[in-house]
Amino acid sequence: MNTRKTLTLELTGIIGAALVAILLGIIIIYIVSEEPLTAIQSLLLGPISSAFNIGTVLNKAVPLIFTGLALAIVFQAGVFSMGAEGQLYMGAFVGALAALYIPGLPVWVHLPIIFLAAICAGAIFGAIPGFLKAYLNTDEIVTTLMLNFIAILSTSYFVNNIFKDPASGGYARMQYIASDLRLGRIVEGFTAHYGIIIALATVIVIYLLLYKTKFGYELRMVGQNSRFAHYGGISTKKIIILSVVISGGLAALAGIIEILGVHGTFKDYFSINLGFDGIIIALLARNHPFGVAVAALFYAYLQVGAQLMQGASDVPRELAVIIQVILVLLVSSQAIFTFLRQKYLLRQGR
Amino acid sequence: MIQAIWEQVLNLTLFVVLLRVTVPILLSALGGMISMVGGVVNIGLEGIMLLSAFSSIAVGAATGSWLLGVVAGVIISILVSMLMGFFSIKLKVDIIIVGFAVNILGSGLTIFLMNKIYGLTGNYSPEQLNRIPSIHIPFIEQIPIIGKLLSGHNLMVWVSIIAVFLCLVLLYRTPHGIHLRAVGESPEAAASLGISVDRMQFIALAWSGLFAGLAGAYLSMGMTSMFVKDMTAGTGFIALAVVMLGGSNPVGILIGSLIFGLGSTITTIVQTIPGNQIPSQFVQMIPYVVTILALIILAIRKKKKQLELTSQSTTQS
Amino acid sequence: MTVLLEMKDIHKVYPNGTKANQGVDLTVHEGEIHALVGENGAGKSTLMKILFGLETPTSGEIRYKGQPVTFQGPRDAIKQGIGMVHQHFMLVPSLTVSENILLGDELRKGFFSLFRDRKRELTEVDQLIQRYTLKVDPQAKVEMISVGQKQRVEILKVLYRGARLIILDEPTAVLTPQETDELFHSMKELVKENYTVIFITHKLREVMEISDRATILRAGKTIETVQTKNSSQEEISKLMVGRNVLFRVEKEEAKPKEPVLKVNHLTVPDDKGLEAIRNVSFQIRAGEIFGFAGVEGNGQTELIEAITGLRKIKSGQIEYLGQDLTEKTVAQIRAMKIGHIPEDRQTTGACLTSTISENLILDCCRAKEYRRGPFLEQKKIKGFSQQMIKDFDIRVQNEDALAGSLSGGNLQKVIIARELSKNPKLLIASQPTRGVDIGAIEFIHREIIKKRDEGTAVLLVSAELSEVINLSDRIGVLYNGEIVAILDNSTPLSEEEIGSYMLGIKRQEQEAVAE
């Protein structure tokens, strides 16, 4: 069986899993709700019912695309990092500082500096567990989880104390970033901001990096069979560290774009699990960049739908979480996909 | 400030708080350890604990019985861990992914149910709740120091200490424990003698569900008397770190849990001392920093040992 | 003499189409040591897996003690009194010897029989050890005991479960000569007590020494069963290999030129830090094949890993065309026109989850001509892959097929294509034909000889002595990490001659070895 056929088969399987998960969601709605039709309608159709909602879906997808890409890269390198959440905070925090405290630059110089500062912060923070894994073989799952807490708590400290906007009152946030530095709307009157364009461009860049360059080839070989890679002269240590560095940079981009596009300032605890959502998206996408874009849009759609459903009916929005969990479990089931493959082969054989 | 802490050490407040905060870490770490011994890495402890915390307080408040509450929490936890087994063993989903999914599910489902059942979004604190009782030992209670050392602790404190012994006996003194260890260490060897690897791993997960379930019930009905969304706040991950450090030895797990418990205790105490200068975020960070440092030290020691082994044997010959 | 076991016309076809057994007959008498002999891939292990219930036969009949039997799993076979000692030990390292022996059949006591009766366990194991004089400390942890002792634990495990028929799968492969002697002694003791032993091996000396009868398999079929005492090593070896010796390779006399690889006083540690290669020196010249013979595990793996940069050495020099290799990285070494066919193609030589094309470009993705800026030249890569598939006769639809979908022979051809396409000055081939079908073996041998004739220096390591003899121009024999002989093979040597060096019985003078 060649790669193209495998791809079609996988796609069919994933779409099937999505349908099953949504169906289960609908069943749950029928069980718990007294107005199931309203709930289902707002869940499934709400997100495309108005231009405003469509824009919201796009905006929500932006950070998810970045964290999804961040995790797709490390997963492809065989590193099971859970650290995107922390890297995202570090990137947003340092990026916001660069936006607020570097005075007197023209926008077209200042904006790249902000992005660069954020990327560097995320990359450096991401490199820590990478070095630990490459040289000391410490378990990256635990170190990244711990580093998440450290990043969230330390940024929270700074924004509560040193960098707090005096005018913010009870809220822990920095000053608002000058409006010319923020990401504006693509079309006036449409909620989507420029982040989605940057995100989609990044998807293409990462696709090219992973599948069309020597580095991407080496990275994938390390992830799929590190002994083969070592035998072939690929430095697995170098690849592991570079993968977490790039991943950290991408997660940081998610953070700073969320700050510049949505919040306009750095608040503590602003990312509600965007980094962890990225894990789900990478898993659903089978770590493929194009898949990440689709999965992030689907995910954002589901979230917006759930939010609308909560407003319109008696079903809490956490239903979306349940659907996501079912979906990710089905899509990650090797047994189901092996079964599908065998069935396919059997049919071919006849 | 150090003086203030010292006073609390002297009047044993520190000890009492230490026991309180160690219990959930210890119980869930024991759960994580048993599944690890059986060859299953359970990173879903956090989610299982949340589900147990919610279901136990819900049942406990509805029935007025703390015992029924705890039982409900434990049963739910075991069911969830069985479900994890179904996905990881039968449907061949990577166990890390299953654990991760359970963590998300635990957070989302409890909020969903709290909203649906009680119409609440942040926390649920029932007016009438029989908490898991504290054990006051007559007579000993009256003795000055020993009284405070031994009496007045929550029942779950004693349960968790018993659990350590239970695990010791289970792993080293019963055939069941030997089978668990064999399956975790070399599954082919176990399978070649007719021990079903799948079955043992299901059981290993059930054990971890049992202990994480007890930990969860204690969170909502012993340590506090309410359910707060995401109230585990990383306890499951700390437990995971304890398992990484303490290995497969229940005594190691106990020591590790006490170390992390001490970290949290100092956090709690420092925060309550008036005029405290250290920001709470940094104090809260202590356990996480300690975990990373401990992992690094452990890894360096392991590496050194290997190097020594190499140089020793080469100089010998 | 009663017949204990009869296996009739056993066929086994694996799902991937490999025909491992094609009509095997085996009759074993009670109380005998029955050797099952054949080259690698002759179907010995498959037959025994079927007998032990680990595989189900495609067709055929098994009669045990006169009754037809079918085994669903090892448990069924054990119940009938059949035990197997696997080639790779099935032991739990952190458990003690007695815990391993009793695993799954622990003695219980106490409340609901929940607890282990450790006292009774120890006495039972002690008795077992006494009775069969298989000396081993029952309370030692298995990770701490020697290989020979581990094997005794395996035999004790089988005996404890009441086996009367014991299958030993290549038991001597991992043993030292002394340990082998002790094992043979134990086997004789067992047979005295009317136990029956099936002994799988491809070492003829052992067959002659220990067995009563021997059944010879070749290419999945039973060739003959002989009385050992009425037979000879020559006869059995002929039966094993076939009358017209297969794989006899046509080759012209070598015309060696300048030295390509010089190894001087090389010492290499193994994973545990012990010296796997000790003070080894040899040279390989352009246009010759230098083969290493030796029982597996005598340092071959470590030697090759050291030359290819995969393993750090302890001391000595490795000189390749005047350059020192010891401080070079794997990537640098691969870039120096050194080809390496690794011994394990599934885990090291190929990436099964990637496409054929991705497996082929391991080196050329670094080469300038396959890159434009940071990008790989997809068209050139495609062209190169298609060329390789054609040149090396890789039977596959196209270059995008997954490597994991290939048969063993075709996968090996992918690896060989990759390693030969860079026109190596030095080719290191480790077990190049292991587990590969006959057609592919011939192809691979021809390719290696072709490279030799083009002036490549070839270092060959193979567990198949016949392969070493057939291909090599000179043969070095490795024993216990040292080169004990370097022999001229311009007129092929006999297996016996090399065998005595391989077993450490004979040894050349130091000067001769050092050249």
Side-chain angles (χ1 to χ4, degrees):
Chain A
M1 192 160 36
N2 66 26
T3 40
R4 196 158 302 151
K5 280 180 198 149
T6 321
L7 191 71
T8 347
L9 202 68
E10 301 266 293
L11 272 180
T12 329
I14 292 171
I15 293 168
L19 292 177
V20 170
I22 291 174
L23 194 71
L24 283 171
I26 290 173
I27 292 172
I28 296 174
I29 291 177
Y30 267 98
I31 295 171
V32 302
S33 175
E34 283 170 9
E35 38 191 345
L37 286 176
T38 324
I40 293 166
Q41 198 192 358
S42 44
L43 175 68
L44 296 182
L45 300 177
I48 42 168
S49 62
S50 72
F52 178 86
N53 288 347
I54 294 174
T56 313
V57 170
L58 291 178
N59 284 348
K60 283 222 181 256
V62 171
L64 296 173
I65 290 176
F66 281 107
T67 53
L69 288 174
L71 289 151
I73 283 218
V74 275
F75 290 172
Q76 286 232 10
V79 180
F80 214 96
S81 165
M82 295 210 165
E85 185 81 357
Q87 293 147 10
L88 181 149
Y89 272 97
M90 292 313 263
F93 178 74
V94 174
L97 288 184
L100 288 171
Y101 294 93
I102 302 176
L105 288 176
V107 172
W108 57 272
V109 181
H110 199 174
L111 211 52
I113 288 180
I114 295 172
F115 278 101
L116 208 65
I119 290 173
C120 287
I124 293 169
F125 199 67
I128 301 170
F131 272 102
L132 290 178
K133 180 174 171 71
Y135 288 96
L136 292 173
N137 200 22
T138 53
D139 187 280
E140 71 269 26
I141 297 176
V142 176
T143 52
T144 51
L145 282 172
M146 299 294 125
L147 284 167
N148 285 344
F149 286 113
I150 292 173
I152 295 167
L153 287 167
S154 55
T155 52
S156 161
Y157 164 75
F158 283 114
V159 78
N160 268 294
N161 296 279
I162 299 170
F163 301 115
K164 189 171 185 219
D165 179 3
S168 65
Y171 289 102
R173 62 163 176 80
M174 293 183 189
Q175 285 166 287
Y176 280 104
I177 293 164
S179 58
D180 57 347
L181 286 175
R182 298 205 215 152
L183 298 175
R185 296 181 174 175
I186 308 169
V187 185
E188 210 41 58
F190 186 53
T191 32
H193 61 72
Y194 276 105
I196 188 73
I197 293 174
I198 308 177
L200 292 176
T202 313
V203 166
I204 293 169
V205 170
I206 297 298
Y207 166 76
L208 292 175
L209 179 74
L210 276 175
Y211 292 95
K212 303 291 172 194
T213 68
K214 165 179 163 273
F215 171 74
Y217 168 76
E218 294 188 339
L219 182 140
R220 286 182 293 122
M221 291 305 120
V222 168
Q224 289 176 29
N225 183 348
S226 63
R227 288 183 62 159
F228 173 70
H230 179 55
Y231 148 82
I234 300 169
S235 165
T236 47
K237 285 194 173 96
K238 190 184 94 185
I239 295 287
I240 286 176
I241 291 168
L242 279 176
S243 75
V244 292
V245 163
I246 296 173
S247 167
L250 287 166
L253 275 175
I256 189 63
I257 289 177
E258 192 70 356
I259 298 291
L260 295 180
V262 179
H263 301 286
T265 181
F266 183 91
K267 310 171 185 167
D268 62 351
Y269 308 111
F270 76 95
S271 151
I272 306 153
N273 288 340
L274 287 172
F276 289 105
D277 292 341
I279 298 177
I280 296 187
I281 285 158
L283 289 171
L284 295 182
R286 287 270 197 274
N287 303 330
H288 194 288
F290 295 158
V292 164
V294 177
L297 284 167
F298 173 78
Y299 201 100
Y301 190 100
L302 202 61
Q303 276 189 337
V304 173
Q307 189 69 46
L308 293 169
M309 175 181 71
Q310 171 158 305
S313 74
D314 59 348
V315 183
R317 63 161 183 242
E318 275 74 23
L319 180 78
V321 177
I322 299 169
I323 294 178
Q324 286 152 13
V325 166
I326 296 168
L327 180 53
V328 82
L329 286 174
L330 291 178
V331 168
S332 309
S333 165
Q334 286 181 31
I336 294 175
F337 278 85
T338 318
F339 176 75
L340 287 178
R341 232 167 281 148
Q342 275 166 352
K343 269 231 144 152
Y344 174 85
L345 283 179
L346 224 65
R347 221 174 1 171
Q348 288 273 301
R350 265 185 216 143
Chain B
M1 194 190 80
I2 290 177
Q3 201 194 346
I5 296 180
W6 183 239
E7 263 170 41
Q8 305 221 3
V9 175
L10 282 187
N11 69 20
L12 294 177
T13 310
L14 188 126
F15 178 74
V16 174
V17 177
L18 173 64
L19 287 185
R20 258 171 65 88
V21 299
T22 304
V23 168
I25 301 175
L26 176 58
L27 282 171
S28 52
L30 285 173
M33 177 203 71
I34 291 211
S35 61
M36 183 81 98
V37 165
V40 192
V41 182
N42 186 353
I43 72 160
L45 295 168
E46 184 91 354
I48 299 181
M49 280 161 75
L50 272 175
L51 288 166
S52 165
F54 180 79
S55 36
S56 59
I57 196 169
V59 172
T63 61
S65 154
W66 62 268
L67 186 63
L68 282 179
V70 172
V71 169
V74 167
I75 288 176
I76 291 291
S77 302
I78 293 178
L79 284 179
V80 171
S81 56
M82 293 289 87
L83 206 63
M84 290 178 75
F86 173 74
F87 276 102
S88 80
I89 296 162
K90 293 293 172 200
L91 291 186
K92 306 263 180 255
V93 183
D94 189 309
I95 185 66
I96 301 289
I97 296 175
V98 179
F100 170 71
V102 165
N103 287 340
I104 308 177
L105 183 74
S107 168
L109 188 60
T110 49
I111 299 173
F112 181 87
L113 291 173
M114 185 159 61
N115 189 331
K116 209 52 228 170
I117 300 172
Y118 306 111
L120 298 166
T121 48
N123 58 64
Y124 165 61
S125 44
E127 282 165 23
Q128 289 287 314
L129 180 74
N130 284 316
R131 288 172 52 177
I132 301 170
S134 295
I135 307 291
H136 293 276
I137 310 170
F139 307 119
I140 290 179
E141 208 175 356
Q142 319 292 331
I143 309 169
I145 292 171
I146 297 174
K148 205 162 179 184
L149 274 180
L150 290 178
S151 180
H153 302 309
N154 191 284
L155 174 67
M156 222 35 114
V157 171
W158 295 106
V159 170
S160 64
I161 293 169
I162 294 168
V164 173
F165 285 101
L166 183 82
C167 287
L168 267 176
V169 173
L170 181 80
L171 289 184
Y172 297 99
R173 295 295 156 100
T174 68
H176 179 66
I178 298 281
H179 295 182
L180 273 177
R181 288 162 66 196
V183 163
E185 208 178 320
S186 47
E188 324 80 53
S192 76
L193 295 171
I195 298 171
S196 161
V197 176
D198 286 3
R199 208 179 123 240
M200 289 315 291
Q201 294 194 329
F202 261 108
I203 297 175
L205 275 168
W207 281 113
S208 81
L210 167 74
F211 287 118
L214 287 171
Y218 173 74
L219 282 181
S220 62
M221 292 209 305
M223 206 164 161
T224 66
S225 45
M226 58 165 129
F227 179 84
V228 185
K229 74 171 188 180
D230 295 323
M231 72 186 304
T232 42
T235 310
F237 296 135
I238 296 278
L240 202 65
V242 171
V243 176
M244 294 282 162
L245 300 173
S248 55
N249 186 340
V251 178
I253 299 293
L254 174 64
I255 295 168
S257 304
L258 281 170
I259 293 172
F260 282 103
L262 196 64
S264 312
T265 309
I266 294 172
T267 313
T268 327
I269 288 178
V270 167
Q271 276 170 332
T272 53
I273 291 171
N276 155 44
Q277 291 297 308
I278 306 172
S280 67
Q281 286 94 344
F282 284 106
V283 183
Q284 282 174 43
M285 240 187 265
I286 294 172
Y288 312 116
V289 177
V290 167
T291 308
I292 292 180
L293 290 180
L295 279 172
I296 293 173
I297 292 168
L298 216 70
I300 292 176
R301 270 181 47 189
K302 208 167 147 192
K303 217 171 178 175
K304 263 197 184 150
K305 234 183 190 170
Q306 262 172 359
L307 282 178
E308 269 167 32
L309 214 76
T310 322
S311 58
Q312 255 175 25
S313 49
T314 36
T315 45
Q316 261 170 19
S317 50
Chain C
M1 202 164 27
T2 47
V3 171
L4 181 70
L5 169 77
E6 265 185 297
M7 296 179 84
K8 276 190 204 151
D9 201 28
I10 302 287
H11 286 258
K12 174 70 189 179
V13 184
Y14 283 104
N16 67 6
T18 315
K19 290 176 186 162
N21 284 175
Q22 319 177 42
V24 178
D25 297 308
L26 175 70
T27 307
V28 178
H29 297 155
E30 198 166 354
E32 71 170 348
I33 297 179
H34 194 110
L36 194 59
V37 211
E39 293 196 304
N40 281 346
K44 297 165 296 187
S45 287
T46 304
L47 186 68
M48 289 301 106
K49 278 183 186 161
I50 289 170
L51 177 57
F52 194 54
L54 287 166
E55 302 276 3
T56 41
T58 313
S59 68
E61 193 195 8
I62 307 175
R63 296 175 81 87
Y64 185 67
K65 292 179 178 164
Q67 301 294 318
V69 286
T70 49
F71 299 139
Q72 297 303 324
R75 206 78 194 164
D76 291 350
I78 294 170
K79 258 187 220 147
Q80 293 278 346
I82 298 174
M84 180 158 177
V85 174
H86 300 267
Q87 198 177 351
H88 303 287
F89 296 142
M90 298 278 188
L91 297 170
V92 187
S94 80
L95 296 183
T96 66
V97 166
S98 89
E99 283 165 346
N100 265 289
I101 292 173
L102 294 160
L103 187 61
D105 292 278
E106 289 85 355
L107 300 173
R108 292 159 180 268
K109 69 168 184 189
F111 183 69
F112 277 102
S113 306
L114 273 177
F115 299 95
R116 288 165 58 204
D117 192 342
R118 295 203 297 175
K119 241 190 218 155
R120 210 149 53 89
E121 283 184 0
L122 272 183
T123 46
E124 287 241 350
V125 170
D126 259 333
Q127 278 171 8
L128 198 70
I129 291 170
Q130 296 295 327
R131 186 169 155 214
Y132 297 100
T133 57
L134 288 160
K135 257 192 78 184
V136 52
D137 175 9
Q139 279 172 293
K141 282 195 177 175
V142 161
E143 59 196 349
M144 307 302 288
I145 64 178
S146 72
V147 173
Q149 287 175 320
K150 280 183 189 154
Q151 194 164 59
R152 276 176 234 159
V153 176
E154 287 281 23
I155 296 173
L156 285 167
K157 255 165 76 176
V158 165
L159 291 171
Y160 179 78
R161 285 168 180 76
R164 300 299 303 176
L165 171 63
I166 300 169
I167 307 163
L168 300 172
D169 189 2
E170 307 224 10
T172 58
V174 290
L175 298 184
T176 65
Q178 293 87 342
E179 284 172 335
T180 304
D181 289 342
E182 284 171 41
L183 172 71
F184 284 176
H185 177 75
S186 311
M187 282 164 69
K188 283 177 191 152
E189 291 293 314
L190 285 171
V191 172
K192 268 188 208 153
E193 298 203 27
N194 210 30
Y195 282 87
T196 310
V197 177
I198 298 178
F199 172 59
I200 304 178
T201 187
H202 57 253
K203 296 180 190 165
L204 297 181
R205 190 180 64 86
E206 294 174 354
V207 175
M208 302 312 292
E209 184 181 333
I210 188 87
S211 69
D212 300 306
R213 296 194 308 145
T215 294
I216 295 104
L217 299 189
R218 190 202 319 151
K221 292 191 182 93
T222 300
I223 301 302
E224 209 174 316
T225 299
V226 296
Q227 295 279 340
T228 315
K229 61 172 184 283
N230 300 335
S231 181
S232 65
Q233 283 203 31
E234 287 70 37
E235 190 195 345
I236 295 178
S237 90
K238 262 186 208 152
L239 291 168
M240 253 170 83
V241 186
R243 294 214 185 276
N244 37 355
V245 176
L246 281 171
F247 329 135
R248 183 53 85 183
V249 197
E250 292 303 319
K251 59 170 187 180
E252 287 168 28
E253 202 174 319
K255 298 179 194 76
K257 297 185 196 76
E258 76 287 355
V260 171
L261 181 74
K262 288 186 200 167
V263 173
N264 285 318
H265 304 290
L266 181 69
T267 298
V268 186
D270 68 8
D271 293 336
K272 292 184 201 125
L274 303 171
E275 287 176 1
I277 282 289
R278 249 196 320 277
N279 196 22
V280 157
S281 304
F282 62 92
Q283 287 194 0
I284 305 179
R285 287 177 291 178
E288 74 166 345
I289 299 177
F290 188 92
F292 269 109
V295 179
E296 265 184 273
N298 273 289
Q300 294 92 327
T301 307
E302 288 81 2
L303 175 64
I304 286 182
E305 287 180 352
I307 298 171
T308 50
L310 293 164
R311 183 177 287 273
K312 286 236 173 346
I313 68 160
K314 198 190 153 209
S315 60
Q317 288 101 43
I318 304 168
E319 202 186 301
Y320 165 74
L321 295 174
Q323 280 178 288
D324 182 25
L325 289 187
T326 53
E327 291 298 315
K328 294 256 191 303
T329 64
V330 183
Q332 286 168 332
I333 291 173
R334 285 189 71 86
M336 294 164 81
K337 290 198 174 258
I338 296 179
H340 174 202
I341 301 163
E343 60 181 18
D344 191 336
R345 68 170 160 270
Q346 304 268 350
T347 64
T348 313
C351 181
L352 301 182
T353 49
S354 299
T355 65
I356 311 269
S357 180
E358 285 171 331
N359 271 283
L360 285 168
I361 61 167
L362 191 55
D363 288 291
C364 51
C365 76
R366 284 194 209 98
K368 283 227 172 62
E369 65 256 42
Y370 288 97
R371 282 162 64 186
R372 195 195 297 147
F375 295 108
L376 294 168
E377 284 265 27
Q378 303 292 334
K379 261 191 201 146
K380 276 192 186 166
I381 285 174
K382 192 173 174 143
F384 168 74
S385 305
Q386 287 170 344
Q387 190 65 43
M388 287 297 114
I389 288 171
K390 206 169 125 238
D391 288 355
F392 287 85
D393 188 28
I394 301 164
R395 312 268 164 83
V396 67
Q397 235 175 348
N398 62 33
E399 72 282 354
D400 282 336
L402 293 180
S405 67
L406 295 182
S407 72
N410 274 315
L411 183 60
Q412 189 72 349
K413 282 183 190 170
V414 171
I415 296 167
I416 286 171
R418 181 181 67 219
E419 299 305 314
L420 296 191
S421 65
K422 59 191 203 188
N423 285 317
K425 292 237 167 63
L426 171 65
L427 174 67
I428 297 167
S430 184
Q431 318 291 359
T433 59
R434 175 178 278 176
V436 161
D437 60 283
I438 292 169
I441 291 177
E442 281 174 10
F443 179 84
I444 292 166
H445 284 175
R446 273 203 308 276
E447 288 295 325
I448 291 177
I449 289 167
K450 203 166 96 195
K451 275 291 159 217
R452 179 201 75 164
D453 294 342
E454 287 168 22
T456 301
V458 181
L459 192 166
L460 170 76
V461 169
S462 174
E464 290 301 322
L465 192 48
S466 57
E467 183 171 39
V468 175
I469 293 173
N470 283 340
L471 285 181
S472 310
D473 302 309
R474 287 190 303 140
I475 294 175
V477 185
L478 270 175
Y479 176 72
N480 205 11
E482 292 176 306
I483 296 185
V484 291
I486 291 181
L487 308 162
D488 182 53
N489 193 43
S490 47
T491 47
L493 298 155
S494 76
E495 295 206 3
E496 287 71 28
E497 238 176 300
I498 299 174
S500 52
Y501 290 110
M502 280 168 64
L503 297 165
I505 300 166
K506 256 170 82 180
R507 190 185 176 107
Q508 276 180 342
E509 293 297 316
Q510 274 302 306
E511 301 81 61
V513 177
E515 290 184 281

